[in-house]
Amino acid sequence: MAERALTYSFIYSTETLAFSILAFLLFTYYRGLGRQYVKLWMLSLSALAVNQFALACESIFYQQNVGSTLDISFALLRQVSQYFHILFFIFGIYAATKEKNVTKKMQVIGISSALFIGCFAVLFYGFDTQSVFNRFYLRESLAAFIFGSAFIASAFYLFSANINHFSGKIFLIYSLLVGLRYISYSFASIIFITEDWFRYLTQNLIYLDMSLHTILGFIILIWMQGAERHVASTAINRAKYLGKHDSLTGVLNREQVLEKLTNEMKISLDQNQALCVFLLDIKHFKFVNDTYGLKIGDLILGEIAQRLNQSLLKPKVVGRLSGDSFMYVIESENGKQQKTAAEHLHALIERPYFVSQEEVHLQCSVGYCQYPCDAEVADELLQKSNLALFQAESNNIQTVKYESGMQSHGRHLLAMEKEIKQAISNEEFILHFQPQLNLKNNRLEGAEVLVRWQHPTKGLLAPGQFFDDIEALNLYSELDSYVLEKTCQTIAKWYQTYKRRVPLAINITAVEFQAPDFISNIQALLIKYAIPPVYLELEVTENVVITDIDLVMNTIVVLQNMGIKVSIDDFGTGYSSLAYLRKLPIDKIKIDRSFIQEVASNDSDLTIVKTMVELSHGLGKRVLAEGVETQQQLQLLRNIGCDAVQGYFISKPISEKEFTKYLKRK
Ligand code: C2E
Ligand code: CA
Ligand code: CA
């Protein structure tokens, strides 16, 4: 008996040492890998070491009386550590296979249950010397049953999780074996407890357990080795991947795009096929970044990349060229197919993005060109698609296909953009003034401000010579703001020097008129230069009115309330009708020059002008005729009842210096 106790305690002590070392090994792995499952297995093996330690002590102090403090303490230690061992083992399997962490809540529930069952098994009947059997059932049979069930359950879980690697399979077999061992022991311990053979079996189970524990140690070690290798290889792959790919979106970066495109070009040349190179630019992406933050912006870019990559058209190349622009290449030479592809791209981008319970909607511009007909090197293909994209963006068209001729135009625009911006900051744009004559009192009513570009090399340029570029470059707003401020400065300056204020009318483009801060800008300028609002008049074309009647109506009402006058420019050339204008609280209608040209010689034009004047007066608006070049025209307009005129017959648009002379003369 004493000899066997010694053998047992030797075996248990050896296992204690072995599992302590293993647990320590796992601890070093945990420090390196930092995965939760490693920590859980480390705890499981530590619990096993404690369990073996308790068993070793128990076998030495076997003679101790039932119910003594020593007996209860060792039993408690053994039971609780045993449950902890299985608990952390199964948690570890869950965390390792699911690649998810076991939540705090799950851990608390597990630990408290293990503690509860352990204490219950030890303390119930623990102090009752008579209840040998009950005590045995609680400490051995119940424990074996819970153990067995837990292992069988984990075997089932591993089976259904379908883990393919080697250590996963051994884990499954191990769990199944251990589970069967404990379940059958649990039942046998209840039925055959008094049989001799059962006692003999129990005494020798220690050797089976020892082998099973050894196997467990090996499995965990093999698993760790595999995990380490996996981590190392993914790290290497990731490094390779990051080198090639845009780390944010997981698609190719600029250099890789060009490299891959070159490869694809070779392949399609060999196969006698054509490619279509699309460039996409997400509109107003800055707005997303500003509103939702850079992190969300990055997530959305990632989603865009994913949508492009997974698109039905099986793209040959998908890459991100810069901030919010992407390249997308497909095999195609059929024009119709390419159009459909572009529509597909718009649909992909326009599908809503879900960001913290909100829907974000985006749009893009698309430019594309073809290989080999448009260019034969990747760089040039990119450049040509870019030109098409530029056209799309500046003209607010969804999709533009590259056409020859765009290239020189693109280069021209690029140069102009720099030049115009520089001209604005160098104040090369100057104001000319064209007087407006009031026909009722024959006095100067005010002047229209017309911009000129005092170009350093090309001389004085009229708007017709640079407005196309300004429009293509979307720089109208900048120019309008500039002219607005210069005009306010001028009114203030004339007041200071000549103690005289002249109402000035400025042309405002549709974009600027509808800009959100348009009104506040004007207000700020009026305050800055101390100008009474009645000296400022804004000219907008009819087309402004019909773009967004409600918004325009609001703006005009606010301007009117501020005391600023608004007039409709080029009247008769747009799409609106007088009926439309009736609703708008504007002051003045400016009849377009084309109607005035023929008033003297063409009866129908005279009738039209007459009707315009009568209708306008009927609506309570004043009428100014533009482009009056002759005495005859002036006389006719006077007879019709026109309120004011403007035109070469009165004066051409003149420089500031000439205009002040003109003022003094009058
Ligand atoms: P608009 O507003 O209709 O300006 C009148 C244009 O007709 C001016 O051309 C003026 O020189 C010209 N004009 C005036 N009287 C006569 C005439 O009796 N006969 C003829 N044949 N022409 C006459 P300009 O200065 O070349 O301006 C052209 C257009 O450019 C303007 O048309 C206006 O739409 C735009 N523009 C001019 N300055 C500005 C500005 O500061 N901002 C904005 N947004 N547009 C401007
Ligand atoms: Ca005008
Ligand atoms: Ca006009």
Side-chain angles (χ1 to χ4, degrees):
M1 190 72 178
E3 195 185 317
R4 191 161 61 228
L6 219 65
T7 320
Y8 282 6
S9 67
F10 174 72
I11 292 177
Y12 288 138
S13 309
T14 319
E15 281 197 60
T16 307
L17 189 69
F19 287 118
S20 305
I21 295 174
L22 244 166
F24 179 73
L25 249 168
L26 282 192
F27 174 67
T28 55
Y29 273 122
Y30 175 64
R31 279 208 309 205
L33 287 173
R35 295 288 157 78
Q36 195 202 28
Y37 75 88
V38 186
K39 186 165 100 185
L40 291 166
W41 281 344
M42 178 195 82
L43 289 172
S44 172
L45 290 184
S46 310
L48 189 59
V50 173
N51 182 252
Q52 299 306 101
F53 172 72
L55 281 167
C57 298
E58 254 185 5
S59 43
I60 292 172
F61 302 107
Y62 190 66
Q63 275 80 0
Q64 280 292 321
N65 294 333
V66 170
S68 70
T69 332
L70 216 57
D71 170 57
I72 297 285
S73 318
F74 286 135
L76 256 180
L77 196 61
R78 183 160 79 85
Q79 290 287 318
V80 172
S81 60
Q82 180 170 273
Y83 287 120
F84 276 0
H85 162 58
I86 174 79
L87 179 75
F88 288 127
F89 176 74
I90 288 176
F91 274 173
I93 288 187
Y94 172 83
T97 52
K98 281 256 172 195
E99 293 187 11
K100 261 206 296 212
N101 277 1
V102 178
T103 59
K104 269 256 149 44
K105 198 173 150 197
M106 269 164 84
Q107 291 190 38
V108 170
I109 294 174
I111 291 173
S112 2
S113 318
L115 274 173
F116 174 76
I117 302 172
C119 295
F120 175 75
V122 171
L123 301 177
F124 214 79
Y125 299 118
F127 304 95
D128 186 350
T129 43
Q130 301 306 308
S131 293
V132 185
F133 286 108
N134 287 336
R135 200 165 49 241
F136 180 81
Y137 292 144
L138 273 183
R139 291 190 189 178
E140 307 298 330
S141 312
L142 176 69
F145 181 73
I146 294 177
F147 241 67
S149 312
F151 273 105
I152 298 270
S154 94
F156 265 111
Y157 168 72
L158 283 168
F159 182 73
S160 63
N162 208 2
I163 313 268
N164 280 324
H165 49 86
F166 178 62
S167 34
K169 292 262 187 289
I170 328 182
F171 253 134
L172 195 160
I173 297 169
Y174 174 82
S175 301
L176 198 65
L177 278 180
V178 179
L180 288 176
R181 175 243 179 261
Y182 280 102
I183 286 282
S184 42
Y185 176 79
S186 158
F187 287 114
S189 68
I190 296 168
I191 304 164
F192 308 114
I193 184 156
T194 48
E195 306 274 330
D196 277 346
W197 65 264
F198 180 72
R199 198 171 321 130
Y200 178 75
L201 180 84
T202 315
Q203 281 163 8
N204 289 292
L205 262 182
I206 182 177
Y207 301 108
L208 175 68
D209 288 347
M210 195 177 69
S211 346
L212 286 175
H213 286 157
T214 317
I215 294 175
L216 175 66
F218 274 116
I219 304 174
I220 290 185
L221 276 183
I222 292 172
W223 184 294
M224 295 320 315
Q225 289 274 302
E228 210 178 29
R229 232 190 345 260
H230 179 68
V231 168
S233 70
T234 35
I236 293 168
N237 283 341
R238 182 144 180 82
K240 274 190 201 155
Y241 182 81
L242 285 181
K244 279 188 196 166
H245 292 73
D246 179 337
S247 61
L248 184 68
T249 52
V251 292
L252 303 177
N253 63 27
R254 195 186 179 91
E255 290 94 75
Q256 282 305 118
V257 163
L258 291 177
E259 198 182 311
K260 180 105 188 274
L261 181 59
T262 311
N263 279 341
E264 289 297 333
M265 285 157 62
K266 270 187 212 132
I267 296 170
S268 60
L269 193 68
D270 289 344
Q271 297 174 347
N272 214 0
Q273 267 156 345
L275 295 177
C276 185
V277 180
F278 292 92
L279 286 193
L280 291 83
D281 195 81
I282 313 296
K283 288 187 193 171
H284 312 300
F285 199 74
K286 193 181 165 306
F287 173 78
V288 173
N289 278 337
D290 290 348
T291 321
Y292 299 99
L294 289 177
K295 218 167 148 191
I296 298 280
D298 288 354
L299 280 178
I300 292 182
L301 287 177
E303 161 113 22
I304 293 173
Q306 202 181 356
R307 287 185 191 182
L308 293 177
N309 257 322
Q310 294 169 351
S311 103
L312 290 171
L313 301 179
K314 299 217 172 69
K316 298 274 175 203
V317 187
V318 170
R320 193 167 78 127
L321 297 174
S322 65
D324 53 6
S325 72
F326 292 85
M327 184 194 259
Y328 180 94
V329 181
I330 56 165
E331 195 184 279
S332 163
E333 63 185 323
N334 175 328
K336 206 173 151 209
Q337 223 174 36
Q338 294 167 359
K339 268 196 188 134
T340 318
E343 280 161 20
H344 170 71
L345 288 176
H346 285 291
L348 273 188
I349 302 297
E350 285 168 21
R351 233 167 51 209
Y353 302 81
F354 294 94
V355 166
S356 47
Q357 280 147 17
E358 262 185 81
E359 270 187 37
V360 178
H361 292 266
L362 292 177
Q363 285 185 323
C364 67
S365 310
V366 173
Y368 67 94
C369 71
Q370 286 168 288
Y371 170 80
C373 63
D374 289 333
E376 287 178 1
V377 258
D379 260 332
E380 257 177 61
L381 282 170
L382 185 65
Q383 196 196 350
K384 293 193 165 159
S385 297
N386 225 337
L387 280 171
L389 178 65
F390 186 77
Q391 288 277 323
E393 285 182 317
S394 45
N395 296 324
N396 211 2
I397 306 171
Q398 278 208 320
T399 309
V400 172
K401 181 178 187 300
Y402 170 79
E403 274 158 30
S404 50
M406 270 184 191
Q407 200 165 17
S408 53
H409 185 59
R411 263 200 296 264
H412 165 78
L413 280 184
L414 230 55
M416 282 309 278
E417 181 171 17
K418 212 171 129 196
E419 217 177 308
I420 291 172
K421 284 185 173 164
Q422 225 157 37
I424 289 180
S425 61
N426 292 349
E427 305 196 8
E428 285 169 23
F429 291 104
I430 56 164
L431 306 186
H432 274 201
F433 304 88
Q434 187 173 34
Q436 298 175 331
L437 183 74
N438 185 321
L439 292 182
K440 305 287 151 159
N441 57 17
N442 276 327
R443 292 173 73 161
L444 182 81
E445 169 163 312
E448 177 178 357
V449 175
L450 294 157
V451 75
R452 302 286 179 264
W453 184 357
Q454 188 64 67
H455 196 280
T457 52
K458 294 179 198 154
L460 193 68
L461 304 179
Q465 291 167 278
F466 55 88
F467 267 27
D468 279 349
D469 293 338
I470 293 212
E471 186 172 0
L473 292 164
N474 239 330
L475 290 173
Y476 262 137
S477 233
E478 274 92 333
L479 185 77
D480 279 358
S481 308
Y482 173 91
V483 172
L484 190 62
E485 172 136 26
K486 278 265 164 241
T487 304
C488 291
Q489 264 176 18
T490 312
I491 298 177
K493 191 171 71 189
W494 287 347
Y495 184 67
Q496 265 182 355
T497 30
Y498 312 110
K499 289 282 164 274
R500 189 168 170 190
R501 288 198 205 264
V502 182
L504 291 182
I506 30 184
N507 295 283
I508 301 290
T509 47
V511 198
E512 179 67 1
F513 197 75
Q514 291 168 44
D517 49 3
F518 177 61
I519 291 195
S520 55
N521 281 350
I522 293 193
Q523 240 158 355
L525 285 174
L526 291 180
I527 294 169
K528 184 174 169 187
Y529 295 102
I531 298 167
V534 280
Y535 291 102
L536 202 58
E537 183 176 322
L538 305 178
E539 292 186 7
V540 289
T541 60
E542 290 175 80
N543 298 340
V544 173
V545 181
I546 56 164
T547 46
D548 183 347
I549 180 97
D550 291 333
L551 179 80
V552 170
M553 170 83 93
N554 270 340
T555 311
I556 294 181
V557 169
V558 175
L559 289 169
Q560 286 282 338
N561 289 341
M562 282 166 66
I564 295 172
K565 291 200 187 97
V566 180
S567 54
I568 297 294
D569 202 1
D570 301 345
F571 185 75
T573 58
Y575 306 102
S576 69
S577 62
L578 267 175
Y580 233 128
L581 300 179
R582 194 182 53 193
K583 296 192 207 156
L584 292 172
I586 43 164
D587 300 274
K588 195 194 277 178
I589 283 170
K590 295 184 74 175
I591 300 176
D592 190 67
R593 196 172 70 220
S594 54
F595 295 96
I596 310 302
Q597 267 172 352
E598 308 275 305
V599 245
S601 52
N602 187 319
D603 276 350
S604 67
D605 272 3
L606 181 63
T607 318
I608 292 173
V609 173
K610 226 168 149 176
T611 318
M612 282 180 183
V613 173
E614 280 162 13
L615 277 172
S616 304
H617 282 164
L619 296 172
K621 326 247 180 245
R622 300 185 68 239
V623 182
L624 181 146
E626 290 186 310
V628 179
E629 294 183 358
T630 62
Q631 171 74 46
Q632 213 183 357
Q633 288 166 346
L634 180 71
Q635 199 49 53
L636 273 172
L637 290 163
R638 211 190 274 276
N639 296 343
I640 290 169
C642 198
D643 301 285
V645 286
Q646 175 186 346
Y648 290 175
F649 183 69
I650 320 298
S651 161
K652 283 194 166 189
I654 43 182
S655 69
E656 190 186 337
K657 207 169 138 197
E658 288 171 296
F659 187 73
T660 44
K661 260 194 236 158
Y662 177 91
L663 280 181
K664 278 180 207 153
R665 243 193 349 245
K666 299 263 150 183

